[in-house]
Amino acid sequence: MNKRFLVWVLPILICFATIQCNSNEESQNEKHPVLLVSIDGLMNDYLERNDTPNFDQFLSEGVSAEYLIPIFPTKTFPNHWSIVTGLYAENHGIIANSFFDYELDARFSYGPPDDYEKGEDWWGGEPIWATAEKQNRTTVTFFWPGSESSINGVRPTIWKDYDGSVPDSARIDSIAAWFDPAGDIKADFGTLYFSFIDSRGHAFGPNSAEVDEAVLEMDNLLGYLIDKLDEIGLSDSISILLTSDHGMAELSHDKIIFLDDIININHVDVIDWSPVAMLKPNSGRADDVYNALKLSEQNYTVYWRDELPERFRFRNHYRIPEIIMIADVSYTITNRAFYEQRGIVAGAHGFDNYAPEMRTFFAAKGPEFKQGEIAPPFESVHIYELLNYLIGTEPAQNDGDPELLKNILLR
Ligand code: AMP
Ligand code: ZN
Ligand code: ZN
């Protein structure tokens, strides 16, 4: 090699390469912290019909979607897991809030923390906190369905066993402390979760005064959150995503489908009941069960799993049983004994994810988002790609389209 090259050109090349490296590192470090907030059961029009000054300000400073389309079925656990993994239920395996897995010979159900539910075997896909932790980011969760389980041995740096009695303001106080640039944790990514709008929707129905009161409470909490982020100096530099898992539909005592009036209930295992009845017929009974349901098909639609409309993305998981019965919005599938004992609640979700009542909410603000714009509706599976972009991480395989949400970003 020519001596002149070694003396002059090589150092320049090395220097240039180092600058490139440094600037890559810097651009990684320049990434702003990201907070993902779930407001369970926030139907898209709840905000339109209420006076919510803090949400209004948030929307004027950021972007929002006309509405967010949840995944099918429109239940809490399947949807929260889709938001953080970017996968449809058929690809992540959380097919309902409660279901039986014949390979694991166990029931998945939420409730008080229990070791089985925490087991890794249940949760397919890679949640954003695992993606981020694996790429040397610090993540914290003050509740998110699935955050209590390790995933391929990875957990958030801080996570909490679900306890619905923890005051909502205390969740915000903790998150602010964990994001605080002057604190010990200095989180890059965090989640918050609030359940009370969903609970009121179930208890009193989506059109109740009680839901409206809950929306105002949430508006106050949002104001409190923004103040807290202001106190730690992050209000202008943090990206905040406000979203939800599904809407809510009014139920009615006139709209009950009694499964035991239509089929012999002893001929099936009911994996989940309502509004999506997932039926595993006993050996040799599948045709009888399907035909009986087809014959009485009113206020619901019955499908062989393999014939479910493609848009549900709900065929390709071994946990999904052979026969799927989907109640029309506002109808309840139950059996006589259960109904006589327990009746129904005022509101429910779980229906067709394209039903207007199941539409939910998305808004985001921060240094990388456009301001005051409203984007066309999109499906919640795309949020995982967006989170990776914001955090600066390489996403795991998922069903989202990395291009789809570029239009809500400044560049
Ligand atoms: P749903 O039955 O679909 O309305 O689910 C909402 C309920 O899920 C909330 O009211 C909480 O009680 C419960 N929940 C939410 N997050 C968790 C969690 N991480 N672990 C256990 N239960 C949860
Ligand atoms: Zn929910
Ligand atoms: Zn709910």
Side-chain angles (χ1 to χ4, degrees):
M1 198 176 286
N2 164 329
K3 202 168 167 196
R4 209 151 157 214
F5 178 87
L6 283 177
V7 173
W8 288 106
V9 183
L10 198 59
I12 290 171
L13 280 180
I14 290 170
C15 181
F16 184 68
T18 317
I19 290 168
Q20 282 283 315
C21 276
N22 285 345
S23 73
N24 277 348
E25 245 165 49
E26 267 163 28
S27 70
Q28 195 177 76
N29 294 337
E30 266 168 30
K31 284 290 179 189
H32 308 284
V34 179
L35 172 62
L36 174 66
V37 183
S38 168
I39 305 166
D40 199 311
L42 184 67
M43 198 175 169
N44 199 48
D45 68 358
Y46 285 175
L47 294 182
E48 281 156 29
R49 68 181 203 220
N50 283 289
D51 189 16
T52 49
N54 292 302
F55 275 103
D56 291 349
Q57 185 166 348
F58 190 98
L59 295 176
S60 72
E61 290 172 5
V63 288
S64 55
E66 204 181 311
Y67 56 86
L68 182 70
I69 304 160
I71 62 116
F72 181 83
T74 49
K75 294 272 188 168
T76 297
F77 273 63
N79 270 279
H80 276 89
W81 201 238
S82 289
I83 292 170
V84 294
T85 59
L87 295 170
Y88 292 106
E90 67 175 2
N91 290 332
H92 67 46
I94 304 296
I95 61 163
N97 280 345
S98 171
F99 58 87
F100 197 83
D101 181 315
Y102 288 86
E103 279 187 16
L104 299 173
D105 194 24
R107 177 161 277 278
F108 173 95
S109 67
Y110 72 87
D114 112 359
D115 284 345
Y116 212 88
E117 181 195 317
K118 282 191 203 163
E120 293 209 355
D121 294 345
W122 293 111
W123 309 90
E126 184 175 277
I128 184 64
W129 56 79
T131 307
E133 289 279 344
K134 279 163 64 182
Q135 296 176 52
N136 301 318
R137 307 304 197 282
T138 301
T139 70
V140 294
T141 51
F142 212 128
F143 302 149
W144 195 276
S147 62
E148 301 93 333
S149 174
S150 75
I151 305 294
N152 295 327
V154 183
R155 286 174 182 276
T157 298
I158 301 181
W159 57 278
K160 299 273 174 193
D161 263 330
Y162 186 71
D163 173 0
S165 71
V166 175
D168 295 304
S169 60
R171 305 177 195 190
I172 293 174
D173 292 342
S174 295
I175 272 285
W178 301 336
F179 272 112
D180 190 344
D184 299 333
I185 312 291
K186 300 182 183 49
D188 299 300
F189 170 79
T191 70
L192 272 173
Y193 170 83
F194 303 109
S195 68
F196 59 94
I197 289 183
D198 178 73
S199 311
R200 300 275 178 96
H202 285 296
F204 302 101
N207 302 313
S208 60
E210 286 83 354
V211 161
D212 286 342
E213 276 166 29
V215 172
L216 300 190
E217 278 172 43
M218 189 63 232
D219 190 66
N220 285 334
L221 272 176
L222 177 59
Y224 182 71
L225 170 65
I226 302 292
D227 286 349
K228 277 276 153 188
L229 296 174
D230 224 359
E231 272 173 31
I232 57 171
L234 283 187
S235 59
D236 290 333
S237 58
I238 192 167
S239 296
I240 308 170
L241 288 75
L242 303 180
T243 193
S244 179
D245 51 349
H246 50 71
M248 188 69 72
E250 198 102 49
L251 297 184
S252 160
H253 285 281
D254 308 330
K255 295 181 176 175
I256 307 291
I257 299 157
F258 291 107
L259 194 57
D260 46 351
D261 287 359
I262 309 172
I263 59 167
N264 183 337
I265 211 84
N266 297 320
H267 290 173
V268 293
D269 278 358
V270 184
I271 309 292
D272 195 26
W273 274 93
S274 189
V276 179
M278 304 189 193
L279 308 176
K280 183 176 186 297
N282 296 347
S283 173
R285 297 291 183 185
D287 285 336
D288 293 352
V289 170
Y290 177 86
N291 291 336
L293 285 166
K294 204 68 195 166
L295 216 67
S296 299
E297 198 175 43
Q298 209 187 0
N299 308 319
Y300 67 83
T301 313
V302 63
Y303 299 97
W304 291 113
R305 174 194 54 213
D306 297 335
E307 289 174 359
L308 274 165
E310 177 63 23
R311 69 188 173 82
F312 288 132
R313 300 296 308 263
F314 200 68
R315 292 180 190 162
N316 294 327
H317 198 284
Y318 73 87
R319 288 176 185 156
I320 304 171
E322 230 174 325
I323 297 177
I324 304 292
M325 181 187 173
I326 305 174
D328 292 351
V329 171
S330 289
Y331 280 81
T332 303
I333 303 171
T334 183
N335 67 39
R336 293 224 168 245
F338 188 90
Y339 179 71
E340 271 150 32
Q341 226 178 24
R342 304 270 293 271
I344 51 168
V345 288
H349 48 86
F351 302 94
D352 184 335
N353 56 328
Y354 277 79
E357 294 85 346
M358 296 299 104
R359 287 175 185 170
T360 187
F361 177 80
F362 178 87
K365 86 174 180 103
E368 305 198 56
F369 290 103
K370 289 181 180 165
Q371 290 199 344
E373 287 200 22
I374 300 174
F378 60 87
E379 292 190 334
S380 59
V381 287
H382 302 293
I383 295 174
Y384 173 76
E385 283 283 349
L386 175 65
L387 290 169
N388 275 282
Y389 171 82
L390 294 168
I391 302 168
T393 39
E394 198 53 48
Q397 198 191 345
N398 69 92
D399 297 323
D401 176 354
E403 292 305 309
L404 196 101
L405 292 179
K406 293 266 161 76
N407 62 335
I408 68 173
L409 295 164
L410 284 172
R411 62 193 169 96

mmCIF file of all heavy atoms in Angstrom, residues 95 99-108 122 268-272 278-282 318-322:
data_model
loop_
_atom_site.group_PDB
_atom_site.id
_atom_site.type_symbol
_atom_site.label_atom_id
_atom_site.label_comp_id
_atom_site.label_asym_id
_atom_site.label_seq_id
_atom_site.Cartn_x
_atom_site.Cartn_y
_atom_site.Cartn_z
ATOM 1 N N ILE A 95 -56.438 -15.755 22.496
ATOM 2 C CA ILE A 95 -57.631 -15.734 21.635
ATOM 3 C C ILE A 95 -58.864 -15.196 22.353
ATOM 4 O O ILE A 95 -59.904 -14.990 21.733
ATOM 5 C CB ILE A 95 -57.923 -17.134 21.048
ATOM 6 C CG1 ILE A 95 -58.195 -18.137 22.177
ATOM 7 C CG2 ILE A 95 -56.772 -17.596 20.140
ATOM 8 C CD1 ILE A 95 -58.890 -19.408 21.698
ATOM 9 N N PHE A 99 -59.735 -18.830 28.141
ATOM 10 C CA PHE A 99 -59.889 -19.910 27.159
ATOM 11 C C PHE A 99 -59.146 -21.136 27.660
ATOM 12 O O PHE A 99 -58.273 -21.033 28.535
ATOM 13 C CB PHE A 99 -59.355 -19.478 25.777
ATOM 14 C CG PHE A 99 -57.911 -19.054 25.783
ATOM 15 C CD1 PHE A 99 -56.883 -19.967 25.623
ATOM 16 C CD2 PHE A 99 -57.574 -17.712 25.967
ATOM 17 C CE1 PHE A 99 -55.554 -19.571 25.651
ATOM 18 C CE2 PHE A 99 -56.240 -17.303 25.991
ATOM 19 C CZ PHE A 99 -55.223 -18.243 25.832
ATOM 20 N N PHE A 100 -59.493 -22.299 27.113
ATOM 21 C CA PHE A 100 -58.823 -23.544 27.505
ATOM 22 C C PHE A 100 -57.843 -23.948 26.420
ATOM 23 O O PHE A 100 -58.150 -23.850 25.242
ATOM 24 C CB PHE A 100 -59.851 -24.655 27.733
ATOM 25 C CG PHE A 100 -59.277 -25.791 28.515
ATOM 26 C CD1 PHE A 100 -59.230 -25.732 29.908
ATOM 27 C CD2 PHE A 100 -58.733 -26.894 27.870
ATOM 28 C CE1 PHE A 100 -58.656 -26.764 30.647
ATOM 29 C CE2 PHE A 100 -58.158 -27.931 28.604
ATOM 30 C CZ PHE A 100 -58.124 -27.870 29.994
ATOM 31 N N ASP A 101 -56.654 -24.359 26.835
ATOM 32 C CA ASP A 101 -55.659 -24.843 25.879
ATOM 33 C C ASP A 101 -55.492 -26.345 26.098
ATOM 34 O O ASP A 101 -55.050 -26.765 27.171
ATOM 35 C CB ASP A 101 -54.328 -24.088 26.099
ATOM 36 C CG ASP A 101 -53.259 -24.534 25.116
ATOM 37 O OD1 ASP A 101 -53.112 -25.758 24.909
ATOM 38 O OD2 ASP A 101 -52.552 -23.670 24.562
ATOM 39 N N TYR A 102 -55.861 -27.129 25.083
ATOM 40 C CA TYR A 102 -55.835 -28.588 25.244
ATOM 41 C C TYR A 102 -54.422 -29.158 25.193
ATOM 42 O O TYR A 102 -54.191 -30.267 25.651
ATOM 43 C CB TYR A 102 -56.738 -29.244 24.188
ATOM 44 C CG TYR A 102 -58.189 -28.999 24.515
ATOM 45 C CD1 TYR A 102 -58.828 -27.839 24.083
ATOM 46 C CD2 TYR A 102 -58.893 -29.890 25.310
ATOM 47 C CE1 TYR A 102 -60.147 -27.589 24.412
ATOM 48 C CE2 TYR A 102 -60.210 -29.646 25.660
ATOM 49 C CZ TYR A 102 -60.835 -28.503 25.206
ATOM 50 O OH TYR A 102 -62.132 -28.244 25.560
ATOM 51 N N GLU A 103 -53.479 -28.420 24.635
ATOM 52 C CA GLU A 103 -52.089 -28.912 24.653
ATOM 53 C C GLU A 103 -51.456 -28.680 26.018
ATOM 54 O O GLU A 103 -50.768 -29.530 26.554
ATOM 55 C CB GLU A 103 -51.255 -28.223 23.560
ATOM 56 C CG GLU A 103 -51.484 -28.871 22.224
ATOM 57 C CD GLU A 103 -50.557 -28.351 21.139
ATOM 58 O OE1 GLU A 103 -49.521 -27.713 21.435
ATOM 59 O OE2 GLU A 103 -50.897 -28.580 19.958
ATOM 60 N N LEU A 104 -51.724 -27.496 26.577
ATOM 61 C CA LEU A 104 -51.177 -27.209 27.907
ATOM 62 C C LEU A 104 -52.053 -27.831 29.000
ATOM 63 O O LEU A 104 -51.660 -27.866 30.166
ATOM 64 C CB LEU A 104 -51.092 -25.691 28.127
ATOM 65 C CG LEU A 104 -50.196 -24.901 27.164
ATOM 66 C CD1 LEU A 104 -50.351 -23.398 27.386
ATOM 67 C CD2 LEU A 104 -48.726 -25.284 27.348
ATOM 68 N N ASP A 105 -53.251 -28.259 28.603
ATOM 69 C CA ASP A 105 -54.233 -28.823 29.529
ATOM 70 C C ASP A 105 -54.480 -27.865 30.706
ATOM 71 O O ASP A 105 -54.420 -28.237 31.873
ATOM 72 C CB ASP A 105 -53.747 -30.192 30.046
ATOM 73 C CG ASP A 105 -54.894 -30.948 30.725
ATOM 74 O OD1 ASP A 105 -56.066 -30.663 30.396
ATOM 75 O OD2 ASP A 105 -54.613 -31.781 31.599
ATOM 76 N N ALA A 106 -54.737 -26.620 30.346
ATOM 77 C CA ALA A 106 -54.938 -25.602 31.384
ATOM 78 C C ALA A 106 -55.776 -24.471 30.820
ATOM 79 O O ALA A 106 -55.849 -24.275 29.611
ATOM 80 C CB ALA A 106 -53.586 -25.064 31.849
ATOM 81 N N ARG A 107 -56.408 -23.754 31.743
ATOM 82 C CA ARG A 107 -57.220 -22.609 31.327
ATOM 83 C C ARG A 107 -56.441 -21.325 31.561
ATOM 84 O O ARG A 107 -55.859 -21.123 32.631
ATOM 85 C CB ARG A 107 -58.543 -22.589 32.103
ATOM 86 C CG ARG A 107 -59.421 -21.387 31.776
ATOM 87 C CD ARG A 107 -60.871 -21.602 32.165
ATOM 88 N NE ARG A 107 -61.639 -22.341 31.168
ATOM 89 C CZ ARG A 107 -62.193 -21.810 30.073
ATOM 90 N NH1 ARG A 107 -62.068 -20.519 29.799
ATOM 91 N NH2 ARG A 107 -62.871 -22.560 29.234
ATOM 92 N N PHE A 108 -56.451 -20.464 30.560
ATOM 93 C CA PHE A 108 -55.909 -19.111 30.707
ATOM 94 C C PHE A 108 -57.057 -18.251 31.185
ATOM 95 O O PHE A 108 -58.129 -18.233 30.576
ATOM 96 C CB PHE A 108 -55.433 -18.604 29.343
ATOM 97 C CG PHE A 108 -55.000 -17.152 29.342
ATOM 98 C CD1 PHE A 108 -53.662 -16.817 29.513
ATOM 99 C CD2 PHE A 108 -55.921 -16.128 29.151
ATOM 100 C CE1 PHE A 108 -53.258 -15.488 29.501
ATOM 101 C CE2 PHE A 108 -55.529 -14.799 29.144
ATOM 102 C CZ PHE A 108 -54.193 -14.482 29.321
ATOM 103 N N TRP A 122 -48.125 -19.094 27.385
ATOM 104 C CA TRP A 122 -49.368 -18.511 26.896
ATOM 105 C C TRP A 122 -49.150 -17.440 25.834
ATOM 106 O O TRP A 122 -49.965 -17.267 24.940
ATOM 107 C CB TRP A 122 -50.142 -17.869 28.052
ATOM 108 C CG TRP A 122 -50.639 -18.857 29.042
ATOM 109 C CD1 TRP A 122 -50.205 -19.030 30.328
ATOM 110 C CD2 TRP A 122 -51.680 -19.829 28.845
ATOM 111 N NE1 TRP A 122 -50.908 -20.046 30.930
ATOM 112 C CE2 TRP A 122 -51.823 -20.545 30.040
ATOM 113 C CE3 TRP A 122 -52.508 -20.158 27.758
ATOM 114 C CZ2 TRP A 122 -52.758 -21.571 30.184
ATOM 115 C CZ3 TRP A 122 -53.435 -21.171 27.902
ATOM 116 C CH2 TRP A 122 -53.552 -21.861 29.097
ATOM 117 N N VAL A 268 -70.544 -30.316 23.119
ATOM 118 C CA VAL A 268 -69.436 -29.370 22.853
ATOM 119 C C VAL A 268 -68.720 -28.980 24.138
ATOM 120 O O VAL A 268 -69.292 -29.049 25.224
ATOM 121 C CB VAL A 268 -69.954 -28.041 22.221
ATOM 122 C CG1 VAL A 268 -70.501 -28.249 20.826
ATOM 123 C CG2 VAL A 268 -70.968 -27.348 23.107
ATOM 124 N N ASP A 269 -67.470 -28.566 23.987
ATOM 125 C CA ASP A 269 -66.789 -27.808 25.048
ATOM 126 C C ASP A 269 -66.883 -26.355 24.625
ATOM 127 O O ASP A 269 -66.541 -26.020 23.488
ATOM 128 C CB ASP A 269 -65.298 -28.180 25.116
ATOM 129 C CG ASP A 269 -65.095 -29.457 25.902
ATOM 130 O OD1 ASP A 269 -66.087 -30.002 26.413
ATOM 131 O OD2 ASP A 269 -63.933 -29.906 25.970
ATOM 132 N N VAL A 270 -67.339 -25.507 25.540
ATOM 133 C CA VAL A 270 -67.432 -24.085 25.206
ATOM 134 C C VAL A 270 -66.140 -23.422 25.708
ATOM 135 O O VAL A 270 -65.922 -23.283 26.906
ATOM 136 C CB VAL A 270 -68.684 -23.437 25.839
ATOM 137 C CG1 VAL A 270 -68.796 -21.989 25.393
ATOM 138 C CG2 VAL A 270 -69.946 -24.214 25.464
ATOM 139 N N ILE A 271 -65.286 -23.046 24.762
ATOM 140 C CA ILE A 271 -63.969 -22.481 25.117
ATOM 141 C C ILE A 271 -64.151 -21.058 25.647
ATOM 142 O O ILE A 271 -63.463 -20.615 26.560
ATOM 143 C CB ILE A 271 -63.040 -22.436 23.880
ATOM 144 C CG1 ILE A 271 -62.984 -23.788 23.169
ATOM 145 C CG2 ILE A 271 -61.652 -21.927 24.231
ATOM 146 C CD1 ILE A 271 -62.309 -24.879 23.922
ATOM 147 N N ASP A 272 -65.079 -20.312 25.021
ATOM 148 C CA ASP A 272 -65.442 -18.980 25.512
ATOM 149 C C ASP A 272 -66.895 -18.758 25.108
ATOM 150 O O ASP A 272 -67.343 -19.311 24.110
ATOM 151 C CB ASP A 272 -64.507 -17.904 24.921
ATOM 152 C CG ASP A 272 -64.622 -16.579 25.679
ATOM 153 O OD1 ASP A 272 -64.994 -16.605 26.874
ATOM 154 O OD2 ASP A 272 -64.352 -15.511 25.082
ATOM 155 N N MET A 278 -66.976 -19.899 21.281
ATOM 156 C CA MET A 278 -65.968 -20.730 20.605
ATOM 157 C C MET A 278 -66.227 -22.170 21.031
ATOM 158 O O MET A 278 -66.077 -22.508 22.201
ATOM 159 C CB MET A 278 -64.570 -20.279 21.022
ATOM 160 C CG MET A 278 -64.330 -18.798 20.741
ATOM 161 S SD MET A 278 -62.614 -18.323 20.977
ATOM 162 C CE MET A 278 -62.790 -16.535 20.973
ATOM 163 N N LEU A 279 -66.643 -22.983 20.061
ATOM 164 C CA LEU A 279 -67.148 -24.310 20.392
ATOM 165 C C LEU A 279 -66.245 -25.410 19.861
ATOM 166 O O LEU A 279 -65.942 -25.452 18.663
ATOM 167 C CB LEU A 279 -68.549 -24.479 19.809
ATOM 168 C CG LEU A 279 -69.555 -23.367 20.157
ATOM 169 C CD1 LEU A 279 -70.884 -23.594 19.441
ATOM 170 C CD2 LEU A 279 -69.771 -23.291 21.665
ATOM 171 N N LYS A 280 -65.859 -26.305 20.755
ATOM 172 C CA LYS A 280 -65.091 -27.484 20.350
ATOM 173 C C LYS A 280 -66.032 -28.685 20.436
ATOM 174 O O LYS A 280 -66.351 -29.149 21.536
ATOM 175 C CB LYS A 280 -63.902 -27.655 21.308
ATOM 176 C CG LYS A 280 -62.995 -28.811 20.953
ATOM 177 C CD LYS A 280 -61.794 -28.838 21.890
ATOM 178 C CE LYS A 280 -60.764 -29.885 21.494
ATOM 179 N NZ LYS A 280 -61.260 -31.251 21.562
ATOM 180 N N PRO A 281 -66.510 -29.154 19.265
ATOM 181 C CA PRO A 281 -67.475 -30.254 19.305
ATOM 182 C C PRO A 281 -66.801 -31.559 19.737
ATOM 183 O O PRO A 281 -65.627 -31.781 19.434
ATOM 184 C CB PRO A 281 -67.956 -30.370 17.853
ATOM 185 C CG PRO A 281 -67.189 -29.380 17.065
ATOM 186 C CD PRO A 281 -66.182 -28.711 17.917
ATOM 187 N N ASN A 282 -67.561 -32.392 20.439
ATOM 188 C CA ASN A 282 -67.042 -33.718 20.781
ATOM 189 C C ASN A 282 -66.854 -34.517 19.489
ATOM 190 O O ASN A 282 -67.480 -34.211 18.462
ATOM 191 C CB ASN A 282 -68.035 -34.473 21.678
ATOM 192 C CG ASN A 282 -68.202 -33.773 23.013
ATOM 193 O OD1 ASN A 282 -67.420 -32.876 23.351
ATOM 194 N ND2 ASN A 282 -69.221 -34.154 23.759
ATOM 195 N N TYR A 318 -53.860 -23.033 16.886
ATOM 196 C CA TYR A 318 -54.444 -24.303 17.349
ATOM 197 C C TYR A 318 -55.422 -24.101 18.503
ATOM 198 O O TYR A 318 -56.265 -24.955 18.770
ATOM 199 C CB TYR A 318 -53.333 -25.302 17.732
ATOM 200 C CG TYR A 318 -52.620 -24.971 19.029
ATOM 201 C CD1 TYR A 318 -53.120 -25.432 20.251
ATOM 202 C CD2 TYR A 318 -51.463 -24.199 19.038
ATOM 203 C CE1 TYR A 318 -52.483 -25.124 21.438
ATOM 204 C CE2 TYR A 318 -50.821 -23.903 20.227
ATOM 205 C CZ TYR A 318 -51.332 -24.360 21.429
ATOM 206 O OH TYR A 318 -50.696 -24.054 22.606
ATOM 207 N N ARG A 319 -55.357 -22.971 19.182
ATOM 208 C CA ARG A 319 -56.299 -22.755 20.296
ATOM 209 C C ARG A 319 -57.708 -22.394 19.812
ATOM 210 O O ARG A 319 -58.653 -22.465 20.577
ATOM 211 C CB ARG A 319 -55.792 -21.612 21.185
ATOM 212 C CG ARG A 319 -54.591 -22.003 22.009
ATOM 213 C CD ARG A 319 -54.050 -20.826 22.800
ATOM 214 N NE ARG A 319 -52.832 -21.203 23.491
ATOM 215 C CZ ARG A 319 -51.891 -20.349 23.878
ATOM 216 N NH1 ARG A 319 -52.042 -19.051 23.638
ATOM 217 N NH2 ARG A 319 -50.818 -20.776 24.509
ATOM 218 N N ILE A 320 -57.828 -21.966 18.548
ATOM 219 C CA ILE A 320 -59.146 -21.576 18.029
ATOM 220 C C ILE A 320 -59.902 -22.854 17.661
ATOM 221 O O ILE A 320 -59.454 -23.610 16.797
ATOM 222 C CB ILE A 320 -59.001 -20.658 16.789
ATOM 223 C CG1 ILE A 320 -58.153 -19.422 17.137
ATOM 224 C CG2 ILE A 320 -60.385 -20.232 16.278
ATOM 225 C CD1 ILE A 320 -57.764 -18.572 15.926
ATOM 226 N N PRO A 321 -61.042 -23.101 18.316
ATOM 227 C CA PRO A 321 -61.755 -24.357 18.032
ATOM 228 C C PRO A 321 -62.513 -24.299 16.710
ATOM 229 O O PRO A 321 -62.576 -23.249 16.061
ATOM 230 C CB PRO A 321 -62.695 -24.500 19.223
ATOM 231 C CG PRO A 321 -62.943 -23.106 19.672
ATOM 232 C CD PRO A 321 -61.712 -22.300 19.343
ATOM 233 N N GLU A 322 -63.125 -25.428 16.366
ATOM 234 C CA GLU A 322 -63.666 -25.651 15.020
ATOM 235 C C GLU A 322 -64.868 -24.773 14.652
ATOM 236 O O GLU A 322 -65.059 -24.418 13.504
ATOM 237 C CB GLU A 322 -64.116 -27.116 14.952
ATOM 238 C CG GLU A 322 -63.619 -27.860 13.778
ATOM 239 C CD GLU A 322 -64.000 -29.331 13.895
ATOM 240 O OE1 GLU A 322 -64.019 -29.897 15.008
ATOM 241 O OE2 GLU A 322 -64.280 -29.915 12.835
#
